[in-house]
Amino acid sequence: MSSYLMATKGIDCVVVGADRCAANGDTANKIGTYQLAIAAQYHKVPFFPAVPTTTFDLSIPNGSSIHVELRPSNEMTTIFGKNIAPESIDAWNPAFDVTPCSLITGLITELGVIEAASDAGADGIIDVPRFLKDKGLNERCDNAAKPTSFPSGYEVMSESTIGPYLFEKAPKIRALLGASTVKDITVK
């Protein structure tokens, strides 16, 4: 619904909350925030997490260091103790997701809005420690990590690496394909 709303109703901007923010501006929030940021970028709608400075975790350089809690799968497969999915079905149920700074226009704080520097490039790094220092909060930055860009939760794949990855990490796919060796599912 939010994507269609952005496409048809002329939305000015999207403002969401955030539970945690890395030194580079990557933010963790309730599940679905990341996809909302993707939709906003696609529709050229500015995307702003509202982030109290108390949620900044400057000890981590980027969102790849944020631990994402996985909730029990039965929260998705049962209601009041009754199965609503076959018992053999497992569900991936993360409690929140991490939105990369490259999708974020700026962070709204009680001290002002932090935006990526004009020379940040495609990575869109938002230098949170620099912002806090500029606001006179040097003590908050004593042990700050250097903000870096890293695509949260992704590995770069190629035709030569996808087969070994699937063979190791996806035994159900391996079984479905009848693969007994890596060569059986390696793209040539």
Side-chain angles (χ1 to χ4, degrees), residues 38-175:
I38 292 168
Q41 184 177 63
Y42 178 83
H43 293 289
K44 297 176 179 41
V45 174
F47 183 86
F48 295 92
V51 185
T53 58
T54 55
T55 63
F56 292 146
D57 185 346
L58 303 182
S59 69
I60 57 175
N62 58 56
S64 67
S65 300
I66 297 174
H67 173 73
V68 175
E69 174 194 2
L70 293 178
R71 304 287 302 153
S73 65
N74 69 345
E75 290 180 356
M76 305 268 301
T77 60
T78 63
I79 294 178
F80 302 116
K82 302 264 191 222
N83 284 341
I84 58 171
E87 287 188 34
S88 61
I89 297 294
D90 195 14
W92 183 63
N93 189 13
F96 58 91
D97 55 30
V98 178
T99 302
C101 59
S102 61
L103 298 174
I104 296 171
T105 306
L107 302 171
I108 300 170
T109 76
E110 70 275 17
L111 301 174
V113 177
I114 314 170
E115 294 180 304
S118 58
D119 63 350
D123 292 341
I125 292 175
I126 299 171
D127 194 339
V128 174
R130 180 185 302 159
F131 174 81
L132 292 176
K133 286 178 184 174
D134 290 348
K135 296 294 182 182
L137 298 172
N138 294 345
E139 71 282 354
R140 294 273 314 274
C141 305
D142 287 344
N143 297 312
K146 180 180 181 342
T148 61
S149 177
F150 186 83
S152 308
Y154 294 96
E155 286 184 41
V156 175
M157 291 284 169
S158 68
E159 290 179 352
S160 63
T161 60
I162 191 75
Y165 177 85
L166 288 174
F167 192 81
E168 178 186 340
K169 305 273 186 178
K172 289 180 182 177
I173 291 175
R174 184 174 65 224

